Amino acid sequence: MYHLNKDGQNLEILDADTVEQYISAERLQPTDWVWDDITESWVPLSDLFPEHFPTFPENQPTELINRPKEPPKKKRKQVPHEPYCTNGQRKTLVQSVLKALSEILEPSEPILYVATQRKPIPDPKPEAVALTVDHIYLFSKSFFQTRCEPFPLQTILTPKLDTGLFFSHFSFGANAGDYYGIRFLPKVQGREFYNRFMDRLDGIRQAQKSQLPADAPTVVTTVKPRSQPLPKEASKPNLANKAAQHRQLESLKQMLDDGLISSDDYSLKKQAIENQL
């Protein structure tokens, strides 16, 4: 739902479909004001509905327009957004992403990059994605709230960037095989996000590889002769441990096939799993 102000007059609260109808009928202009509940400020209509004003200049002279005098109910300190708007990211959307992350991130988890959608058609999917040193965060707007979904980098499988004529689509697997992603990223943002993500993922793999021992330890055991044969139950292999080892090896082989780890990493981790039993 959106609260609009036109020519100094507050309009009734409208849903997104009605706002788009008003824009199509030219009842609303890009310089009309709409209340952004995320940043808690009045912003030009073109900021929240840029797909309906493709030819409207980004650096519009908003200071010359009569901004509504209604003050926001709560004033919050804005997180600087300029470092994350170097590739044409939507300013208000970046501000909402930074605001949400400031409430959940620790100082030890800096933000590496933020990418935002430019939707040519209505799309309810995530409209922003942020990369930190430990996570990928997908952001979806629902009514007056922004939903944030985190994904640890170590759990991400088969990352992929599909690039079209104007937009790119980033997708990945996580959470036991489920697939997630974000569509309609501008090509320059999609490439920059993907490259930074792969660089960070490679750094994590190298750190994990350096923690593995160069040679697997050799365990020597001395078996004393027994006067009586072992019971049948004791001679049977631990089936539960064997099944767990088999699942780990299958997962490791899948990561090798998907190009997530090198053959050297595969050999080291396979040897470590086999030595567990």
Side-chain angles (χ1 to χ4, degrees), residues 182-200:
I182 179 170
R183 303 192 301 166
F184 303 126
L185 291 178
K187 291 173 65 175
V188 63
Q189 293 184 36
R191 286 194 301 266
E192 182 71 15
F193 180 90
Y194 182 77
N195 290 338
R196 294 198 183 200
F197 163 73
M198 295 304 295
D199 288 344
R200 178 56 187 161

Side-chain angles (χ1 to χ4, degrees), residues 131-150:
L131 172 67
T132 71
V133 295
D134 296 322
H135 293 83
I136 281 179
Y137 294 88
L138 290 179
F139 292 85
S140 303
K141 189 172 183 179
S142 176
F143 294 100
F144 294 110
Q145 295 181 344
T146 296
R147 186 166 60 91
C148 174
E149 195 168 6

Side-chain angles (χ1 to χ4, degrees), residues 104-122:
I104 60 177
L105 292 186
E106 297 293 335
S108 59
E109 187 177 1
I111 303 170
L112 301 180
Y113 195 75
V114 177
T116 62
Q117 275 188 337
R118 284 285 184 183
K119 299 183 287 187
I121 58 175

Side-chain angles (χ1 to χ4, degrees), residues 11 16 20 94 105 118 131 142 161 194 224 236 240 270 277:
L11 305 180
E20 291 176 353
V94 170
L105 292 186
R118 284 285 184 183
L131 172 67
S142 176
L161 182 70
Y194 182 77
K224 296 180 179 181
K236 293 181 179 180
K270 180 182 177 183
L277 296 179

Side-chain angles (χ1 to χ4, degrees), residues 188-225:
V188 63
Q189 293 184 36
R191 286 194 301 266
E192 182 71 15
F193 180 90
Y194 182 77
N195 290 338
R196 294 198 183 200
F197 163 73
M198 295 304 295
D199 288 344
R200 178 56 187 161
L201 198 60
D202 183 65
I204 292 176
R205 291 172 184 163
Q206 293 298 329
Q208 292 175 341
K209 182 178 178 180
S210 65
Q211 295 175 0
L212 292 175
D215 297 314
T218 302
V219 179
V220 179
T221 59
T222 302
V223 180
K224 296 180 179 181

Side-chain angles (χ1 to χ4, degrees), residues 13-276:
I13 297 178
L14 305 175
D15 57 27
D17 291 339
T18 304
V19 172
E20 291 176 353
Q21 292 175 7
Y22 278 25
I23 294 174
S24 300
E26 298 184 355
R27 296 180 59 182
L28 292 173
Q29 301 300 320
T31 53
D32 291 331
W33 295 98
V34 59
W35 180 259
D36 184 359
D37 200 67
I38 300 299
T39 60
E40 296 185 350
S41 63
W42 290 101
V43 298
L45 188 62
S46 59
D47 279 10
L48 294 190
F49 293 86
E51 61 274 15
H52 294 284
F53 306 102
T55 60
F56 194 71
E58 293 185 2
N59 298 323
Q60 50 186 311
T62 54
E63 67 276 7
L64 301 180
I65 306 173
N66 292 325
R67 185 184 294 267
K69 296 182 179 180
E70 180 181 343
K73 295 181 181 179
K74 296 180 181 180
K75 292 184 178 180
R76 297 182 181 179
K77 184 179 180 180
Q78 298 296 325
V79 180
H81 61 275
E82 289 82 3
Y84 306 98
C85 293
T86 56
N87 296 125
Q89 289 90 337
R90 293 164 56 188
K91 173 182 173 181
T92 55
L93 191 50
V94 170
Q95 286 176 332
S96 65
V97 167
L98 297 178
K99 177 181 176 182
L101 290 178
S102 67
E103 299 175 356
I104 60 177
L105 292 186
E106 297 293 335
S108 59
E109 187 177 1
I111 303 170
L112 301 180
Y113 195 75
V114 177
T116 62
Q117 275 188 337
R118 284 285 184 183
K119 299 183 287 187
I121 58 175
D123 179 29
K125 300 296 182 179
E127 57 182 358
V129 59
L131 172 67
T132 71
V133 295
D134 296 322
H135 293 83
I136 281 179
Y137 294 88
L138 290 179
F139 292 85
S140 303
K141 189 172 183 179
S142 176
F143 294 100
F144 294 110
Q145 295 181 344
T146 296
R147 186 166 60 91
C148 174
E149 195 168 6
F151 299 90
L153 296 186
Q154 295 90 334
T155 65
I156 292 177
L157 301 174
T158 61
K160 185 178 180 182
L161 182 70
D162 296 317
T163 302
L165 185 60
F166 299 105
F167 300 98
S168 57
H169 175 203
F170 175 71
S171 60
F172 57 90
N175 297 339
D178 294 333
Y179 278 84
Y180 303 84
I182 179 170
R183 303 192 301 166
F184 303 126
L185 291 178
K187 291 173 65 175
V188 63
Q189 293 184 36
R191 286 194 301 266
E192 182 71 15
F193 180 90
Y194 182 77
N195 290 338
R196 294 198 183 200
F197 163 73
M198 295 304 295
D199 288 344
R200 178 56 187 161
L201 198 60
D202 183 65
I204 292 176
R205 291 172 184 163
Q206 293 298 329
Q208 292 175 341
K209 182 178 178 180
S210 65
Q211 295 175 0
L212 292 175
D215 297 314
T218 302
V219 179
V220 179
T221 59
T222 302
V223 180
K224 296 180 179 181
R226 296 176 180 269
S227 58
Q228 296 180 355
L230 289 173
K232 292 184 179 181
E233 291 76 6
S235 63
K236 293 181 179 180
N238 191 326
L239 298 181
N241 290 343
K242 287 288 186 180
Q245 182 190 43
H246 182 68
R247 288 194 298 270
Q248 291 176 350
L249 290 175
E250 284 185 342
S251 177
L252 191 63
K253 184 60 168 60
Q254 182 64 44
M255 293 177 68
L256 176 64
D257 294 340
D258 293 337
L260 298 179
I261 59 176
S262 65
S263 57
D264 292 339
D265 289 341
Y266 173 76
S267 299
L268 290 172
K269 294 183 180 180
K270 180 182 177 183
Q271 186 64 41
I273 293 174
E274 292 175 347
N275 288 333
Q276 291 176 359

